[in-house]
Amino acid sequence: MTNHDSNIMNDRNNEYSLNEFLRAIHRFTDVRQVRKNIFDIYSEGLYVFNELPGTIKSALFTIMDELPDFELKLTKPENIENEIISYYDKLLNSGHIGISLNSATVINVSLKNIDNSQGSVLIIPLKKSRGINGIILVFHSNESDDLAQYLIRLCNVFSNLLGSSIENYHILNQLEQSKAILEQRIATRTIDLAQSRRELKAVFDSVLTGVLVFDVSINKIVRVNPSACKLIGLQDSEIVGRSVFEFLSFVDYTKIVESNGTTENKYYDSELLDASGKKVEVLRNTIKIRLSNRTLITESFVDISKIRAAERALTETNHILESKVEERTGDLHSIVKKLKQEIIEREKVESELRKMYNQQKELGDMKTRFVSMVSHEFRTPLTLIKSSAQMVSRFESKLSESDKSFYLERIVRSVDNLTDLIENVIFFGRNESGKIEMKISEFDIKNMLFLIAGDFKSGRNVNRNFIISCNTVSSNIKADKSLIHLILTNLISNAVKYSEEDTEIEINIILETNRLTVSIKDYGIGIPETEKPRIFDLFYRAGNVDSVGGTGLGLTVVKDTLDKLGGTIDIHSATGEGTIIRVRIPISYNNPEII
Ligand code: ADP
């Protein structure tokens, strides 16, 4: 056979092989579409390369992402793994596999350079989207130069197809796995979700609080729980789809919807209108919820009508109690007022009783003092009278005339003292029983005072110098003579008693048409300032009187007499310096000729 003949033959053979090769590729694409498992792809892929003219044997290696080395997956014919692996190692060592992989192209290597044997081997890298995912070795009888270049190019193209098919298979496989995992997860989530929904619904349905969920965008109630149905008195289906404000008092949702917060935790008193038209007091809470792009309003409410009624009853009871308390307080106030009044009256009575008791006591004291005074003041002059009379009668012959007159004068003086005392006592007694009557007569007052002074000087043997002066020539007045005499006698008697013998007693008379003023001045012991207010008290005697005799009756008689006459008395006195006592008595005086 000539070269030309052999070329023609080769061409024919190649043409035949090309047809087989293309048919095998076609078959591969069919298989690829069906794609049972990866080994079908390997097998069908290797089958395609087996259809290359002169192919003796072939092998497919794959590289896994996680493994750095190629792994023999399939040989054709079968059971030549050892031989193939041996060649693989040789080709690796010779660097041919490296060249093919680096350039990512098919190379045809003569076996002569490998183990000095006949034929050649095609090293075909399988390409995936990024990198290499396998290698195919095709051993054929042709020498390396004999294999037509277009077949090698075709091998290149198919290797891309096979590589991408393997990659696709793996990707799809992984995708399916991921899908299965995802589906598993979705199923689990769905179960969980359903469970949560069931639990939430159970809670939603079991709470005693009525709940209405309102979708603001469609202006309708979208959910209602059994408690709300019960409170409203309608079925779930009769409530859903209606407006909230058919059942609850109006609330401006726009503010709540526009507010930033998702919830409003304010509870407020509101009213629910139930199916029968009855208004029920409720404690209400309006909350905004945002679910994706939906704005929902949750209205929750509890019936507080009983609580509010109880509160109202309590308030009413409180009011009643308060008004009763007020009423009782008023009663108490008036009782307290009455009691206070009673206490005041009792205190008044008590003080009156005390006063009466004191008066009684004072009366008792007075009686005691009167008895002791009388016994003393009466006994002294009586003793003097008796002893003087005895002296005169027993020793009449032996006594000288002057002795006799001494005793007789002493008798007279004692009688005078007794008379003064008795006069005071009589006045006092008569005044107490209201038996004193005024007897107006005309008399000479100056004369009366001279007589009293004379009486003291001669009658009572008082050696005193009385200085009597009067502002008028005539001193005839019309008045009660005996009462004025009683006043002046007492005052002059005191002036005499409470001053020394060698001091004067000055008596000044001032007569006016309707008033008599008599001042009696002495230079005696005086009246202590603190005791002045009491010297008009019955039986009262100042502490500085010492042994000077007295009853404490005189000034009381003077005061009472002056009261009777409508007169007044004033005293000017200083201890150790003397006393001026001035009396003013209404009189009638017709001859006011001033000296
Ligand atoms: P008595 O009998 O004690 O004089 P009175 O009632 O006449 O009683 O006077 C009351 C008291 O007033 C006297 O005890 C005395 O202490 C005081 N008294 C009255 N007059 C005088 C006087 N001229 N000088 C000093 N003391 C006087």
Side-chain angles (χ1 to χ4, degrees):
M1 208 185 310
T2 64
N3 264 349
H4 176 71
D5 289 343
S6 104
N7 280 344
I8 291 169
M9 272 295 285
N10 273 347
D11 284 349
R12 275 187 194 146
N13 282 344
N14 283 348
E15 202 174 310
Y16 167 76
S17 300
L18 180 66
N19 284 338
E20 289 299 309
F21 189 59
L22 290 174
R23 204 178 295 118
I25 289 173
H26 195 259
R27 198 177 109 174
F28 175 80
T29 50
D30 286 350
V31 169
R32 198 183 71 138
Q33 272 166 10
V34 177
R35 193 178 42 81
K36 292 166 196 154
N37 61 48
I38 189 68
F39 275 98
D40 289 340
I41 293 169
Y42 292 157
S43 175
E44 292 303 320
L46 210 53
Y47 172 79
V48 172
F49 288 109
N50 259 16
E51 291 305 308
L52 279 171
T55 298
I56 302 159
K57 55 189 176 229
S58 61
L60 186 142
F61 292 82
T62 58
I63 188 165
M64 306 307 287
D65 282 343
E66 59 271 22
L67 294 171
D69 208 0
F70 285 99
E71 189 184 4
L72 180 59
K73 291 288 183 189
L74 194 65
T75 62
K76 275 189 195 281
E78 290 173 10
N79 301 324
I80 56 164
E81 284 86 3
N82 290 340
E83 188 190 344
I84 292 295
I85 285 169
S86 157
Y87 268 115
Y88 172 83
D89 288 341
K90 281 172 190 164
L91 288 166
L92 197 66
N93 291 335
S94 67
H96 290 97
I97 287 178
I99 293 164
S100 170
L101 292 177
N102 279 339
S103 59
T105 52
V106 178
I107 60 168
N108 197 12
V109 181
S110 171
L111 289 176
K112 209 176 265 174
N113 301 328
I114 303 303
D115 60 355
N116 213 15
S117 59
Q118 287 277 310
S120 58
V121 58
L122 279 170
I123 303 169
I124 306 163
L126 298 178
K127 285 174 271 179
K128 58 176 182 175
S129 50
R130 268 187 299 174
I132 304 293
N133 61 351
I135 191 165
I136 284 177
L137 299 178
V138 179
F139 293 86
H140 56 94
S141 54
N142 302 321
E143 277 309 310
S144 58
D145 298 336
D146 292 346
L147 202 63
Q149 281 305 308
Y150 73 88
L151 282 175
I152 290 175
R153 279 202 296 275
L154 219 56
C155 281
N156 243 333
V157 171
F158 183 67
S159 73
N160 289 346
L161 183 67
L162 180 58
S164 63
S165 296
I166 293 168
E167 186 185 18
N168 280 352
Y169 177 85
H170 284 305
I171 290 169
L172 283 170
N173 221 24
Q174 276 172 2
L175 275 174
E176 265 171 14
Q177 271 177 20
S178 304
K179 190 182 154 203
I181 292 166
L182 276 174
E183 276 172 356
Q184 178 69 31
R185 281 189 189 159
I186 288 166
T188 315
R189 287 281 155 84
T190 312
I191 291 165
D192 288 351
L193 221 73
Q195 180 64 17
S196 300
R197 276 175 72 99
R198 271 197 300 280
E199 283 170 7
L200 275 174
K201 191 171 178 332
V203 172
F204 185 70
D205 289 352
S206 65
V207 288
L208 292 173
T209 308
V211 182
L212 291 176
V213 183
F214 183 76
D215 190 334
V216 179
S217 60
I218 56 170
N219 215 26
K220 279 176 183 169
I221 295 168
V222 289
R223 203 168 278 278
V224 56
N225 77 340
S227 292
C229 290
K230 201 174 158 195
L231 280 168
I232 294 170
L234 289 175
Q235 295 292 314
D236 186 319
S237 57
E238 293 171 300
I239 298 170
V240 170
R242 290 167 72 170
S243 166
V244 166
F245 306 122
E246 286 186 46
F247 309 109
L248 286 167
S249 329
F250 177 76
V251 169
D252 191 359
Y253 283 161
T254 43
K255 276 184 194 164
I256 301 170
V257 170
E258 281 162 14
S259 69
N260 287 333
T262 48
T263 55
E264 287 282 322
N265 282 324
K266 276 182 209 154
Y267 290 87
Y268 57 98
D269 277 24
S270 185
E271 269 184 353
L272 175 94
L273 191 70
D274 71 8
S276 67
K278 196 179 94 186
K279 282 182 177 173
V280 181
E281 285 171 292
V282 289
L283 189 66
R284 178 174 165 190
N285 178 223
T286 307
I287 300 172
K288 179 182 78 174
I289 305 167
R290 251 188 208 292
L291 287 181
S292 55
N293 59 347
R294 282 206 307 170
T295 302
L296 298 176
I297 295 283
T298 301
E299 289 281 10
S300 45
F301 44 92
V302 280
D303 181 357
I304 51 161
S305 50
K306 282 181 187 158
I307 297 170
R308 290 288 179 264
E311 278 174 2
R312 276 194 293 275
L314 204 72
T315 315
E316 209 172 301
T317 315
N318 272 349
H319 281 149
I320 294 168
L321 280 174
E322 270 168 21
S323 68
K324 277 193 178 165
V325 167
E326 229 166 78
E327 208 175 281
R328 293 285 145 83
T329 312
D331 290 353
L332 270 172
H333 278 313
S334 65
I335 289 170
V336 168
K337 209 173 158 188
K338 276 182 194 165
L339 277 171
K340 274 185 185 168
Q341 192 61 36
E342 214 165 279
I343 288 168
I344 290 167
E345 274 166 22
R346 279 185 188 193
E347 277 174 353
K348 219 163 132 189
V349 171
E350 208 177 292
S351 88
E352 270 167 22
L353 279 172
R354 201 175 296 126
K355 219 162 133 190
M356 275 165 74
Y357 166 78
N358 287 340
Q359 279 173 354
Q360 220 41 44
K361 195 167 171 280
E362 213 171 297
L363 212 66
D365 289 352
M366 236 154 57
K367 276 180 186 165
T368 317
R369 286 164 73 182
F370 185 75
V371 169
S372 73
M373 179 275 290
V374 164
S375 53
H376 179 260
E377 290 301 310
F378 275 68
R379 189 170 289 144
T380 314
L382 284 172
T383 313
L384 275 173
I385 291 166
K386 192 181 174 187
S387 62
S388 299
Q390 278 173 345
M391 283 295 285
V392 173
S393 70
R394 276 188 205 165
F395 307 105
E396 196 192 353
S397 54
K398 290 176 188 169
L399 286 174
S400 66
E401 279 306 304
S402 66
D403 287 340
K404 278 181 200 170
S405 74
F406 168 78
Y407 287 117
L408 287 173
E409 272 170 20
R410 198 159 72 172
I411 289 167
V412 171
R413 201 164 56 241
S414 297
V415 170
D416 284 341
N417 283 340
L418 265 178
T419 311
D420 286 350
L421 186 60
I422 287 164
E423 259 180 41
N424 277 343
V425 171
I426 289 168
F427 170 83
F428 200 70
R430 285 173 63 202
N431 192 33
E432 280 291 294
S433 54
K435 283 182 184 165
I436 291 178
E437 281 173 23
M438 296 273 281
K439 279 184 203 156
I440 305 296
S441 60
E442 193 171 328
F443 63 94
D444 188 336
I445 183 69
K446 213 190 298 178
N447 195 37
M448 180 188 272
L449 277 160
F450 274 112
L451 286 175
I452 295 169
D455 187 39
F456 273 93
K457 275 168 77 87
S458 56
R460 305 187 195 196
N461 205 20
V462 174
N463 187 22
R464 300 300 289 271
N465 191 19
F466 292 95
I467 302 169
I468 300 169
S469 60
C470 181
N471 68 330
T472 57
V473 180
S474 154
S475 53
N476 272 352
I477 58 168
K478 279 184 185 164
D480 190 309
K481 190 181 174 185
S482 64
L483 292 182
I484 289 175
H485 188 269
L486 190 65
I487 292 166
L488 296 175
T489 310
N490 271 303
L491 294 178
I492 292 168
S493 165
N494 281 348
V496 171
K497 273 199 292 184
Y498 301 114
S499 62
E500 294 298 321
E501 274 197 356
D502 57 347
T503 59
E504 290 170 340
I505 291 167
E506 296 167 13
I507 301 166
N508 181 250
I509 307 158
I510 295 171
L511 281 170
E512 290 157 289
T513 44
N514 53 2
R515 189 168 71 173
L516 161 70
T517 305
V518 180
S519 307
I520 297 155
K521 181 178 180 181
D522 67 64
Y523 296 90
I525 59 171
I527 303 164
E529 194 61 35
T530 51
E531 299 191 69
K532 276 180 191 168
R534 297 199 60 194
I535 56 166
F536 294 105
D537 291 353
L538 190 59
F539 303 132
Y540 188 82
R541 303 200 72 211
N544 62 339
V545 295
D546 282 338
S547 57
V548 181
T551 57
L553 206 59
L555 283 184
T556 312
V557 168
V558 168
K559 185 78 177 44
D560 287 356
T561 313
L562 282 169
D563 288 347
K564 197 90 194 155
L565 296 171
T568 57
I569 181 167
D570 53 275
I571 297 172
H572 301 273
S573 184
T575 321
E577 287 181 22
T579 305
I580 303 170
I581 296 183
R582 184 181 293 123
V583 289
R584 289 191 175 91
I585 304 162
I587 53 153
S588 179
Y589 176 62
N590 293 322
N591 197 7
E593 191 189 333
I594 310 290
I595 294 171

